């Protein structure tokens, strides 16, 4: 995706907002001298064994131990737009388990789960203090939390080393979490963690989608205004369909295709009503778990630290599931329809519209949003995406 990065950098440079450049370093290697005697060989072997043992000991010592916190009891209310067995629901369960373990059972939360619970309702609930913890997709919530728009489509986060990569999301978190939290704070929310994004996929009926032009004269279902704007730039007509009605819309021909993440495509069973699933080598939009800021601020410092720690541990656990989730998705997709994997070159035709989208988003965001944009671009540059 180097063409995408170059285009995004050009957008930022044109706005006069990007500063700094990457550093590079060369490794220096020294060839070990050949051994000349049996004694030297024996000594070297012994030293090597000691070094190996020392390295193993060091690695063991640097492995962080699970933390526990001495905190007062607290039960949060969490609403989840998924049901048991779905990937999003699992993130809530991991979070609940991590929180109970870190607090020695003192802190926990009840989970209301319904896959018809929409982001718009979740946003209203948390803004009006009706619930403590919810999941918000960037694609839907950025209508209100406008500075999140840069994370609302593919082209922001991606897996650096393929679908079994367990480190990229944690690295992306390190690069953006403080900025994302500051943005949510302006809307009375505190950022907890990122949901593990799936690969972007297009489920389609009657047409195999490889390029945007394959959707000429077709109707694509997307979630949110900015994904819709991205399609508009690409000349694709879009429609809004309720999350629980997408599969039916594809089956009946109300829409010809639907853009989503791979896990959502699996959970909503698009593969049962589609002829084709097109898988992008780019991750879908980045969504977040958040807590009402009034609730968060009412906690003691120790309770806040425990909550934040548990949220991060839950994200790490979910990341370790990524390969399994993707492989399960692929197996199900292939059982019901033809699966097509976009190449890097084919994907660039889709991501080539991202710079124009960012220019449009720039007109609606604050300096906090533009700082997030710069952090995303820098993270992609640092990871050669």
């Amino acid at each position: 995706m180097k063409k995408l990065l170059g285009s995004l950098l050009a957008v930022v440079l044109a706005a006069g907002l990007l500063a700094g450049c990457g550093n590079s370093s060369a490794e220096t290697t020294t060839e070990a001298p050949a051994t000349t005697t049996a004694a030297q060989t024996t000594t070297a072997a012994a030293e090597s064994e000691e070094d190996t043992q020392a390295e193993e000991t060091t690695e063991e010592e640097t492995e962080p131990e699970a933390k526990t916190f001495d905190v007062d009891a607290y039960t949060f209310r969490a609403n989840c737009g998924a049901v048991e067995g779905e990937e999003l629901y699992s993130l809530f369960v991991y979070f609940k388990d991590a929180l109970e373990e870190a607090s020695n059972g003192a802190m926990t939360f009840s989970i209301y789960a319904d896959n018809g619970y929409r982001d718009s309702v979740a946003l209203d609930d948390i803004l009006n203090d009706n619930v403590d913890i919810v999941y918000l997709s960037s694609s839907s919530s950025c209508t209100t939390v406008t500075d999140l728009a840069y994370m609302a489509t593919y082209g922001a986060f991606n897996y650096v080393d393929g679908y079994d990569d367990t480190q990229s999301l944690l690295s992306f978190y390190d690069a953006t979490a403080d900025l994302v939290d500051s943005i949510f704070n302006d809307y009375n929310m505190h950022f907890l963690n990122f949901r593990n994004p799936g690969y972007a996929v297009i489920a389609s009926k009657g047409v195999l989608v490889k390029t945007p032009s394959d959707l000429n004269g077709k109707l694509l279902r997307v979630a949110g205004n900015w994904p819709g704007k991205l399609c508009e730039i690409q000349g694709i007509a879009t429609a809004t369909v309720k999350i629980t009605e997408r599969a039916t819309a594809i089956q009946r021909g109300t829409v010809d295709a639907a853009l989503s993440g791979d896990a959502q495509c699996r959970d909503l069973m698009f593969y049962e009503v589609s002829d084709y699933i097109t898988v992008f080598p780019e991750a879908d939009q980045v969504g977040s778990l958040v807590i009402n800021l009034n609730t968060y601020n009412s906690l003691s410092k120790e309770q806040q630290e425990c909550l934040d720690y548990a949220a991060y541990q839950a994200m790490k656990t979910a990341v370790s599931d990524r390969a399994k989730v993707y492989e399960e998705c692929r197996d199900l997709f292939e059982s019901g329809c033809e699966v097509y994997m976009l190449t890097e070159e084919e994907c660039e035709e889709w991501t080539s519209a991202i710079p124009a989208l960012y220019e449009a988003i720039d007109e609606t965001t604050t300096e906090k949003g533009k700082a997030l944009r710069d952090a995303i671009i820098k993270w992609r540059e640092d990871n050669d995406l």
Side-chain angles (χ1 to χ4, degrees):
M1 303 302 167
K2 292 181 181 178
K3 290 183 180 179
L4 170 59
L5 177 61
S7 299
L8 291 174
L9 289 173
V11 170
V12 179
L13 288 170
L17 293 172
L18 184 64
C21 59
N23 295 322
S24 62
S25 59
E27 292 185 358
T28 301
T29 59
T30 303
E31 185 177 354
T35 56
T36 56
T37 68
Q40 288 176 327
T41 301
T42 302
T43 301
E47 291 176 348
S48 177
E49 183 177 354
E50 290 175 0
D51 290 343
T52 300
Q53 291 174 346
E55 289 174 1
E56 291 175 350
T57 302
T58 300
E59 289 176 0
E60 292 174 359
E61 290 175 351
T62 57
E63 183 68 22
E65 294 183 1
K67 293 183 180 179
T68 57
F69 299 80
D70 184 12
V71 293
D72 292 335
Y74 200 103
T75 300
F76 302 96
R77 301 160 298 163
N79 284 5
C80 174
V83 294
E84 188 172 356
E86 295 182 354
E87 177 265 342
L88 176 58
Y89 184 86
S90 295
L91 178 59
F92 277 79
V93 172
Y94 292 151
F95 186 14
K96 182 174 184 289
D97 290 346
L99 182 61
E100 290 174 350
E101 182 177 350
S103 66
N104 292 313
M107 298 176 71
T108 187
F109 55 79
S110 59
I111 304 175
Y112 165 78
D114 182 352
N115 57 11
Y117 184 71
R118 303 183 65 189
D119 278 11
S120 57
V121 179
L123 186 59
D124 286 341
D125 277 350
I126 201 160
L127 291 177
N128 291 308
D129 293 341
N130 295 330
V131 68
D132 298 313
I133 298 170
V134 297
Y135 166 76
L136 297 175
S137 69
S138 295
S139 57
S140 296
S141 61
C142 70
T143 302
T144 300
V145 189
T146 54
D147 287 333
L148 295 178
Y150 301 100
M151 300 196 304
T153 69
Y154 56 82
F157 168 75
N158 200 16
Y159 296 97
V160 178
D161 295 317
Y163 72 88
D164 55 352
D165 179 351
T166 61
Q167 297 301 313
S168 291
L169 187 61
L170 305 182
S171 169
F172 186 81
Y173 174 95
D174 291 340
T176 61
D178 289 344
L179 294 167
V180 172
D181 185 46
S182 179
I183 290 169
F184 274 123
N185 286 172
D186 291 341
Y187 295 85
N188 199 39
M189 288 176 272
H190 170 71
F191 170 67
L192 292 169
N193 66 20
F194 289 130
R195 176 186 182 180
N196 199 29
Y199 278 124
V201 302
I202 293 179
S204 57
K205 191 174 182 65
V207 57
L208 172 59
V209 179
K210 296 182 181 180
T211 69
S213 62
D214 290 329
L215 288 168
N216 286 347
K218 307 294 183 181
L219 202 58
L220 176 68
R221 189 275 171 194
V222 296
N225 293 341
W226 289 115
K229 179 64 176 178
L230 179 60
C231 290
E232 179 186 324
I233 294 170
Q234 297 167 320
I236 301 171
T238 62
T240 300
V241 179
K242 289 182 179 179
I243 186 170
T244 54
E245 298 175 1
R246 294 180 202 173
T248 302
I250 297 172
Q251 184 177 37
R252 293 178 177 176
T254 307
V255 298
D256 300 286
L259 174 67
S260 70
D262 54 26
Q264 185 180 71
C265 182
R266 176 200 62 183
D267 295 340
L268 298 178
M269 296 185 289
F270 292 170
Y271 61 91
E272 291 192 352
V273 297
S274 301
D275 297 323
Y276 307 98
I277 302 289
T278 302
V279 182
F280 287 55
E282 276 283 344
D284 191 27
Q285 64 87 29
V286 185
S288 306
L289 258 64
V290 297
I291 183 170
N292 178 278
L293 191 58
N294 293 336
T295 300
Y296 185 77
N297 287 338
S298 72
L299 303 174
S300 68
K301 180 180 178 181
E302 291 75 17
Q303 287 174 317
Q304 290 177 349
E305 290 176 352
C306 183
L307 185 71
D308 290 333
Y309 171 79
Y312 186 80
Q313 296 306 307
M315 182 173 62
K316 286 179 64 177
T317 303
V319 165
S320 67
D321 279 352
R322 176 60 198 152
K324 178 183 177 183
V325 170
Y326 174 74
E327 289 165 0
E328 288 176 350
C329 290
R330 276 294 305 273
D331 289 344
L332 282 173
F333 296 166
E334 291 173 348
S335 72
C337 52
E338 180 180 335
V339 176
Y340 183 78
M341 306 291 297
L342 286 182
T343 66
E344 292 284 341
E345 292 72 22
E346 288 172 329
C347 191
E348 285 173 358
E349 190 166 348
W350 294 88
T351 58
S352 63
I354 296 293
L357 176 69
Y358 277 18
E359 288 182 345
I361 293 173
D362 285 344
E363 298 177 5
T364 69
T365 53
T366 69
E367 291 307 308
K368 286 186 178 182
K370 293 177 177 63
L372 176 60
R373 176 205 62 191
D374 292 349
I376 291 170
I377 294 173
K378 184 178 185 305
W379 181 83
R380 290 186 70 98
E381 178 187 28
D382 289 345
N383 288 282
D384 200 27
L385 293 172

